[in-house]
Amino acid sequence: MPETSRATLKNWLLIAVADLGGSAPRAEVHRRVSEKFGYQFTSEDRLARVGRAREEAWRNNLDSLYDILKREGLMLPSSRGENWRISPQGSMWAALQLEPVHEEDLLRDFLPRDAGDYVARLTSRMLVKKREHENLLRSYGQDIAGLGWRPSTKVHPRDLELVRGMQTWLVEVKVVYGGNGTDAARAALAQLLEYRHFLYSGEAKPGMLALFSEKIGQAHISLLGDLGICVAWRTRTGWDGDEGARSAELVP
């Protein structure tokens, strides 16, 4: 297969730098591109370039593209050895390039070789969320802030992260459709465990909260609780939760 096109590399480069907070050394940008998109590299991308310290072709192409993007105003000017910095225009471009994909299609036909493959697939796609999900997430975030928690949705692909002092909680939000609490509980369980395992490696593990649009039934609340997952849900008048969620002050 031929080398990855310049248009695709442009998207990868801008997304990677934006993902690194808008500024990072060349080596870190290369590493993030490889982490997020390496599973899409072609055999030609992997070939070593003569005269470039035997670096793989994609690295050489990325360096050349970086100079072009500086001239186009998508990357900010820099001198040799300085961080690669994205411009406001570049940040907007990066945000538009995250291809929306439905949650059930995200990992279809995907057998990750290691944790790096898994993280790359999740972080390189923007999940399509239904309006009910977004409304539930927004309402809870606004209400929980009243208890001193700092809610953040800028933790893609996770739904929500809550921080207060030294405490961090990972929150998975699920809408219960047709009263099917079983499917909602299974989905929340799987995603919370996967996200905590793959996205917090080497870090202090966060607490886990499953947030539902309605009560899912005591059997599944007990199941999640036995696995270390607190449960909260929306009621007609506000919010409620299991003993773990209430004691942790996760019920507004």
Side-chain angles (χ1 to χ4, degrees):
M1 295 179 65
E3 294 177 0
T4 298
S5 70
R6 176 175 291 180
T8 298
L9 279 177
K10 176 181 181 179
N11 293 341
W12 292 356
L13 173 55
L14 292 170
I15 290 171
V17 179
D19 192 53
L20 289 166
S23 176
R26 171 186 178 271
E28 187 68 13
V29 174
H30 280 220
R31 184 185 66 80
R32 186 57 59 91
V33 168
S34 181
E35 285 180 350
K36 293 177 74 69
F37 307 109
Y39 69 95
Q40 299 183 53
F41 287 167
T42 69
S43 56
E44 294 295 318
D45 287 330
R46 295 292 191 183
L47 290 179
R49 281 280 170 82
V50 177
R52 289 280 298 189
R54 306 300 294 173
E55 280 191 338
E56 293 179 342
W58 70 269
R59 296 182 184 276
N60 179 231
N61 293 340
L62 207 66
D63 289 347
S64 298
L65 180 60
Y66 170 58
D67 290 331
I68 293 172
L69 296 185
K70 285 192 290 185
R71 293 195 292 271
E72 292 180 353
L74 295 176
M75 297 295 294
L76 296 174
S78 65
S79 301
R80 185 178 181 85
E82 292 182 341
N83 279 6
W84 291 15
R85 298 178 298 140
I86 197 169
S87 70
Q89 295 89 339
S91 295
M92 292 180 61
W93 180 284
L96 292 173
Q97 305 317 305
L98 289 173
E99 178 184 355
V101 61
H102 287 278
E103 192 167 1
E104 59 269 23
D105 294 329
L106 181 62
L107 299 177
R108 181 171 294 171
D109 299 324
F110 179 56
L111 301 175
R113 295 168 297 178
D114 53 30
D117 278 356
Y118 181 91
V119 173
R121 177 64 68 96
L122 262 66
T123 56
S124 64
R125 295 292 185 270
M126 180 183 293
L127 296 180
V128 176
K129 300 290 187 178
K130 294 183 179 180
R131 181 173 298 174
E132 299 97 317
H133 178 279
E134 295 304 301
N135 289 341
L136 179 63
L137 177 58
R138 184 181 305 108
S139 295
Y140 180 77
Q142 291 172 345
D143 290 347
I144 200 66
L147 295 179
W149 292 98
R150 179 169 57 83
S152 174
T153 57
K154 296 183 178 180
V155 286
H156 172 76
R158 293 153 288 180
D159 283 334
L160 180 68
E161 192 175 77
L162 300 176
V163 177
R164 188 175 68 180
M166 300 298 293
Q167 300 181 69
T168 299
W169 284 80
L170 170 62
V171 183
E172 181 62 28
V173 176
K174 291 298 176 189
V175 175
V176 179
Y177 292 105
N180 191 345
T182 297
D183 279 354
R186 287 174 175 172
L189 168 63
Q191 285 180 271
L192 283 167
L193 292 178
E194 283 191 353
Y195 290 165
R196 191 174 74 154
H197 175 77
F198 287 110
L199 302 180
Y200 294 89
S201 58
E203 303 178 26
K205 299 294 186 181
M208 295 180 291
L209 173 69
L211 177 69
F212 299 99
S213 58
E214 61 185 67
K215 191 173 183 179
I216 58 172
Q218 191 56 47
H220 286 99
I221 292 173
S222 297
L223 168 65
L224 294 172
D226 287 346
L227 296 172
I229 298 172
C230 294
V231 181
W233 56 89
R234 175 181 262 168
T235 68
R236 292 184 177 181
T237 58
W239 305 94
D240 200 357
D242 65 359
E243 182 178 350
R246 290 194 296 271
S247 64
E249 296 189 334
L250 297 171
V251 180

